Amino acid sequence: MTSESSQGGQPAGRKGRRARRRRGILRSWFAAGFSATLGGALAFWLAREALRLSELMVLLLLSFFVAVSLDPLVRWLVQHRLPRGWAVTVVLLAFVVLLAGFLALVIPPVTDEVTAFAHAMTRWLRQLHDSHTALGRFEARFHLLSQLRKQFGSGVSPRVVGGLLGAGQLVVSAVTASLVVVVVALYCMAGLPQIKKFCFQFVPGSRRKQMEALTEEILTRTGWYMLGNIITSGIAGLATFIWCAATGVPYSAALGVLVALLDLVPMVGSTIGGIVVSLVALAVSLPIAIGTAAFYIAFRLAEDYFIVPRVMKYAVRVPPIVTVVAVLVGAALLGIIGALLAIPAAMAVGLVLDKFVFPKIKAA
């Protein structure tokens, strides 16, 4: 009896162990699949949120860069016995005055052009309905207005409204981004010493003094670089204003400000500004446009070989090939903002290599 029960129990025990093993395998596969799915969903959510925050991070980076760029002016005012809060206020007021002056120069010519275009559109429409004019005869032959109505039909209004809404959203986004940059840069300028003190707490005590000296050198050179860049851009804008006023190119003040802003972008900014002004000069005459292009070629050579070396003498010392590569990489990653940050970033990397990496390699 005992032998039979033992013989019958062995298969049952084996079957139970096999069933439990299968259930364990199923549970393990289910747990692995659930974990993989949950991990993938979490990674997708984090990547999506990171993409959403990328624009904000770029604005914050630009704000900090603006604060560092204006810090030499703030420190100069502090050295002349002005409290840091008041120094930041003075620099901010100067920035607001410059911005107001830029808007005062740009808005009138743009408004005049829009008004002139609206009057021209009204005149063209009136001529389309007049059979004695060239436009009227063209309309009578090809029926342009009726074809436009058939082509667009009732979809004109929604498209126009959508375009207006898109333009409005673009303007609101630009204004919001500008306010974010100004406000964050203001707080960064006011609290820059506290920010640096907080960040240095994460550095080991044995390396803290060396890191503080390196950080101060990087920030100082970055500030002087931006001030030097602003000076060279101001010279480019002033030269543009003088040339346009002397040759009769319209909107000389607005074009001078535009060239000064474009000249802030390394390598390509002044070239783009010269092309724009040369195209505007075509409104005067072809010889004036050719002369304008020649003027900008000569000015670019003078800027590269005479103005920039003297203005940037105390700022950054970056080899030309490193400058070209840094600007291309920065522009590919962050656009115009990346191009602006490229040269200070390359300078900072060079200082880190000179202070930490190369000495260790040489000692080894």
Side-chain angles (χ1 to χ4, degrees), residues 161-180:
V161 172
L164 292 176
L165 289 177
Q169 290 177 355
L170 181 62
V171 172
V172 171
S173 299
V175 172
T176 303
S178 302
L179 289 177
V180 169

Side-chain angles (χ1 to χ4, degrees), residues 46 68 96 115 146 153 163 168 206 231 271 299 364:
L46 290 176
V68 171
V96 171
T115 304
S146 60
S206 59
I231 291 174
T271 303
F299 180 81

Side-chain angles (χ1 to χ4, degrees), residues 131-206:
S131 59
H132 299 287
T133 62
L135 286 177
R137 289 191 294 270
F138 184 82
E139 163 63 18
R141 182 175 181 180
F142 295 101
H143 305 287
L144 181 62
L145 292 178
S146 60
Q147 291 182 8
L148 288 176
R149 292 192 187 98
K150 292 179 181 179
Q151 181 69 28
F152 294 101
S154 60
V156 174
S157 297
R159 292 179 184 179
V160 172
V161 172
L164 292 176
L165 289 177
Q169 290 177 355
L170 181 62
V171 172
V172 171
S173 299
V175 172
T176 303
S178 302
L179 289 177
V180 169
V181 170
V182 171
V183 172
V184 176
L186 178 63
Y187 278 99
C188 287
M189 283 191 293
L192 191 59
Q194 289 76 18
I195 294 174
K196 291 188 291 185
K197 185 177 179 181
F198 174 77
C199 293
F200 288 145
Q201 292 179 356
F202 296 94
V203 180
S206 59

Side-chain angles (χ1 to χ4, degrees), residues 48-268:
R48 187 181 64 180
E49 295 302 319
L51 290 176
R52 288 182 178 179
L53 293 175
S54 60
E55 295 183 2
L56 178 60
M57 296 303 296
V58 170
L59 292 179
L60 294 179
L61 180 62
L62 180 60
S63 302
F64 184 75
F65 184 69
V66 170
V68 171
S69 303
L70 296 177
D71 188 60
L73 294 177
V74 175
R75 284 191 290 181
W76 182 80
L77 293 174
V78 171
Q79 290 175 358
H80 287 74
R81 299 180 181 181
L82 191 66
R84 187 172 183 87
W86 284 105
V88 172
T89 304
V90 170
V91 173
L92 179 64
L93 290 176
F95 174 76
V96 171
V97 170
L98 290 176
L99 180 61
F102 168 71
L103 293 177
L105 289 174
V106 171
I107 289 177
V110 172
T111 304
D112 294 340
E113 289 299 318
V114 171
T115 304
F117 181 74
H119 289 313
M121 285 291 294
T122 304
R123 186 175 65 255
W124 294 338
L125 289 175
R126 189 167 53 248
Q127 290 177 1
L128 282 172
H129 293 88
D130 188 357
S131 59
H132 299 287
T133 62
L135 286 177
R137 289 191 294 270
F138 184 82
E139 163 63 18
R141 182 175 181 180
F142 295 101
H143 305 287
L144 181 62
L145 292 178
S146 60
Q147 291 182 8
L148 288 176
R149 292 192 187 98
K150 292 179 181 179
Q151 181 69 28
F152 294 101
S154 60
V156 174
S157 297
R159 292 179 184 179
V160 172
V161 172
L164 292 176
L165 289 177
Q169 290 177 355
L170 181 62
V171 172
V172 171
S173 299
V175 172
T176 303
S178 302
L179 289 177
V180 169
V181 170
V182 171
V183 172
V184 176
L186 178 63
Y187 278 99
C188 287
M189 283 191 293
L192 191 59
Q194 289 76 18
I195 294 174
K196 291 188 291 185
K197 185 177 179 181
F198 174 77
C199 293
F200 288 145
Q201 292 179 356
F202 296 94
V203 180
S206 59
R207 295 178 175 269
R208 187 167 299 173
K209 290 186 178 180
Q210 190 177 9
M211 185 60 68
E212 289 178 357
L214 178 62
T215 302
E216 289 297 330
E217 185 175 0
I218 291 174
L219 296 180
T220 301
R221 288 196 182 187
T222 301
W224 283 115
Y225 163 75
M226 281 307 300
L227 289 179
N229 202 5
I230 291 173
I231 291 174
T232 56
S233 299
I235 294 173
L238 181 61
T240 299
F241 171 75
I242 294 174
W243 173 265
C244 292
T247 56
V249 177
Y251 313 126
S252 56
L255 290 176
V257 175
L258 177 63
V259 169
L261 291 176
L262 291 175
D263 195 73
L264 291 173
V265 181
M267 293 176 53
V268 297

Side-chain angles (χ1 to χ4, degrees), residues 65 218 222 225 316 318 322 326 338 340-351:
F65 184 69
I218 291 174
T222 301
Y225 163 75
V316 296
V318 181
V322 177
L340 288 173
L341 300 177
I343 296 179
M347 177 268 302
V349 172
L351 286 176

Side-chain angles (χ1 to χ4, degrees), residues 313-358:
K313 183 168 57 175
Y314 302 104
V316 296
R317 299 178 181 89
V318 181
I321 183 62
V322 177
T323 301
V324 173
V325 174
V327 170
L328 292 176
V329 173
L333 293 176
L334 298 176
I336 296 178
I337 297 176
L340 288 173
L341 300 177
I343 296 179
M347 177 268 302
V349 172
L351 286 176
V352 171
L353 293 175
D354 291 337
K355 297 290 184 180
F356 293 102
V357 179
F358 295 153

